[in-house]
Amino acid sequence: MIVTGASQLAGVIGWPVQHSRSPRMHGFWLERYRIDGAYLPLAVRPANLKAALAGLSAMGFEGCNLTVPHKEAALGLVDEMTPIATKIGAVNTVIVRKDGSLLGDNSDAFGFMENLRVGAPGCDFTDGPAVVLGAGGSSRAVCVALKEAGAVEIRLLNRTLERSENMAKAFGAIVQPLPWETRANALDKATLLVNTTSLGMDGQPPLDLDLSLLPLGAVVNDLVYSPLTTDLLTAAAGRGNITVDGLGMLLHQGRPGFKAWFGIAPEVTDDLRTFVASDLVS
Ligand code: ATR
């Protein structure tokens, strides 16, 4: 598609940004819905984030996504935050409003929950504890989503206990921080297991987890999507658990931004999945 002076513009700001699959996803939607627009990868050093965000409106951008390492840094750089972005403590979607001011939103909790709803329609995490591995930025989004969806208990296991204890302070009694070494026992009676750590990702160490105590009715979701089918998902599916991969969260989290910038609510379809997944190892 040829970009013209009339094209609506958005993009993803990251450092580095080459790894981002967002240009592929939004590019697919722009073609699918025949929108005169462009979605660009924007490599911005951390020191330049403030200037880059301030320049969005001046350059005629509708907004942008933010990825590593900018999501938390953007907190003080937007004019207003949505309640969910405030709760998560990070911005992944910026919308330039008509007056040029910036609204900071976060669609990661939405993306996580939509992915679960579609991938495991019967999943009822109001029925028992959810186990969440990791206490980084993605974990915060997952815990916000679970809490808002009525989860009764979140067992949070992180290598650095202090990080999960800090999350428990922020979230209240629903989050129970547990030592990383106890992760196999924490699976007892769980209805949902979510891996938000980088373990199992290409180039990272494996996730060492004994699934014996995990009920067979529990849903297992790995946020890692490279590879698409992680060892955790293979092991869980092999013993009969319903599994949900991490690519869906990426695809669903893109929907609110696309709608805000380009005016059309995009759909996550099988051909979008295939297109975005085609450069991932499965
Ligand atoms: P994200 O934004 O994707 O959540 P992050 O904030 O860097 O990324 O969080 C990475 C998560 O993976 C953290 O929970 C981290 O544990 P620590 O808080 O102890 O650092 C976890 N992680 C990374 N490498 C790990 C490893 N080798 N063993 C256990 N956990 C690991």
Side-chain angles (χ1 to χ4, degrees), residues 133-139 158-160 163 180 196-199 204-205:
L133 304 178
S138 323
S139 172
N158 195 50
R159 175 180 59 177
T160 313
R163 268 184 118 182
W180 180 244
T196 79
T197 74
S198 48
L199 296 171
Q204 299 293 320

Side-chain angles (χ1 to χ4, degrees), residues 127-269:
D127 212 22
V131 174
V132 176
L133 304 178
S138 323
S139 172
R140 283 190 78 91
V142 166
C143 290
V144 167
L146 288 174
K147 187 174 176 180
E148 299 218 329
V152 286
E153 179 188 342
I154 301 170
R155 297 176 182 164
L156 187 62
L157 298 106
N158 195 50
R159 175 180 59 177
T160 313
L161 186 61
E162 193 190 353
R163 268 184 118 182
S164 38
E165 285 173 344
N166 287 339
M167 275 181 62
K169 277 183 206 142
F171 280 81
I174 186 174
V175 169
Q176 197 190 340
L178 295 168
W180 180 244
E181 296 68 33
T182 66
R183 58 196 180 280
N185 287 332
L187 301 178
D188 193 25
K189 301 193 175 61
T191 54
L192 173 68
L193 166 63
V194 187
N195 174 41
T196 79
T197 74
S198 48
L199 296 171
M201 192 185 289
D202 289 329
Q204 299 293 320
L207 170 64
D208 176 19
L209 180 62
D210 178 354
L211 296 178
S212 312
L213 288 181
L214 185 70
L216 291 181
V219 173
V220 178
N221 175 210
D222 201 335
L223 264 45
V224 170
Y225 58 81
S226 180
L228 199 49
T229 309
T230 60
D231 289 349
L232 170 64
L233 295 181
T234 303
R239 63 196 291 281
N241 291 101
I242 293 175
T243 59
V244 180
D245 69 45
L247 182 60
M249 177 170 168
L250 169 77
L251 302 179
H252 285 285
Q253 68 74 32
R255 288 166 44 200
F258 190 92
K259 168 82 169 61
W261 307 318
F262 302 115
I264 285 179
E267 269 187 276
V268 172
T269 52

Side-chain angles (χ1 to χ4, degrees), residues 12-33:
V12 55
I13 296 181
W15 186 262
V17 79
Q18 301 93 283
H19 70 278
S20 174
R21 263 90 191 181
S22 292
R24 214 171 155 80
M25 166 172 70
H26 288 280
F28 179 97
W29 280 333
L30 286 169
E31 284 214 4
R32 163 65 51 91
Y33 300 108

Side-chain angles (χ1 to χ4, degrees), residues 84-143:
I84 192 99
T86 304
K87 272 186 205 154
I88 297 173
V91 173
N92 80 338
T93 306
V94 175
I95 296 152
V96 178
R97 295 187 290 202
K98 283 202 166 54
D99 64 359
S101 64
L102 302 181
L103 177 66
D105 191 16
N106 194 312
S107 59
D108 281 336
F110 170 82
F112 165 75
M113 203 40 84
E114 284 292 290
N115 188 34
L116 264 195
R117 263 195 249 285
V118 174
C123 178
D124 182 4
F125 31 74
T126 59
D127 212 22
V131 174
V132 176
L133 304 178
S138 323
S139 172
R140 283 190 78 91
V142 166
C143 290

